[in-house]
Amino acid sequence: MRPLLLAASAAAYNGLELGRRREDVEVRHVPALPSSSSLDGARATVVLVDEALLATAVNPEKRLMDLARVAAIVGRGRSDVPDDAFPSGVLTSFLPADASDELVRIALQGALRHATALRDERTARTEAERRQAQLIQLSEVGV
């Protein structure tokens, strides 16, 4: 399954192609900051958060903290450093508004790798829980 980049608009990621081919990464433009429960847990997902997406959340800090458990979060802002709108520890990276195309590409490719690691961790944890349940069932029947 292809990784997914969610962003408010193409301007947020400078309209760049993030893979070797256009089909390598699916890009969706979203009108609002998604909830963690709305994301497909089996898919590596990056959410590129700018002021437009932040403004759509009632409690952006809580929403970002929830999202950071299941997706890589890349912040994009006007200044060179993240402001208070981004809680400490949730960002995979941060891009200033005037970031070069190469900087945007590097940051988003790193975020895609982080999102893949998050997905792989969820998959491994689910598999371990499934196997543990199977072992418990086998021990209950005396195998």
Side-chain angles (χ1 to χ4, degrees), residues 36-53:
S36 58
S37 62
S38 71
L39 300 180
D40 180 356
R43 194 167 196 188
T45 304
V46 174
V47 182
L48 181 53
V49 181
D50 58 10
E51 291 174 352
L53 285 183

Side-chain angles (χ1 to χ4, degrees), residues 8-140:
S9 69
Y13 55 94
N14 294 10
L16 297 172
E17 296 297 328
L18 301 174
R20 286 182 231 141
R21 297 177 310 270
R22 174 171 278 215
E23 308 84 43
D24 288 347
V25 177
E26 180 180 348
V27 178
R28 289 189 197 160
H29 298 152
V30 294
L33 191 61
S35 65
S36 58
S37 62
S38 71
L39 300 180
D40 180 356
R43 194 167 196 188
T45 304
V46 174
V47 182
L48 181 53
V49 181
D50 58 10
E51 291 174 352
L53 285 183
L54 276 178
T56 65
V58 174
N59 186 345
E61 183 173 325
K62 182 179 181 327
R63 178 74 60 92
L64 288 172
M65 291 175 76
D66 288 343
L67 276 172
R69 290 180 299 142
V70 296
I73 309 294
V74 176
R76 184 112 199 217
R78 292 182 190 177
S79 65
D80 290 342
V81 294
D83 59 21
D84 293 338
F86 296 103
S88 176
V90 301
L91 295 180
T92 301
S93 59
F94 180 81
L95 294 165
D98 61 352
S100 69
D101 287 353
E102 190 60 22
L103 180 59
V104 171
R105 181 178 284 108
I106 289 168
L108 292 178
Q109 287 174 341
L112 286 166
R113 285 190 297 277
H114 178 68
T116 300
L118 288 171
R119 184 215 46 216
D120 292 348
E121 177 196 12
R122 283 190 306 276
T123 301
R125 186 172 296 166
T126 300
E127 181 64 19
E129 290 169 356
R130 185 185 67 77
R131 287 183 181 192
Q132 182 178 9
Q134 288 174 337
L135 286 172
I136 290 170
Q137 287 176 340
L138 289 172
S139 68
E140 288 173 350

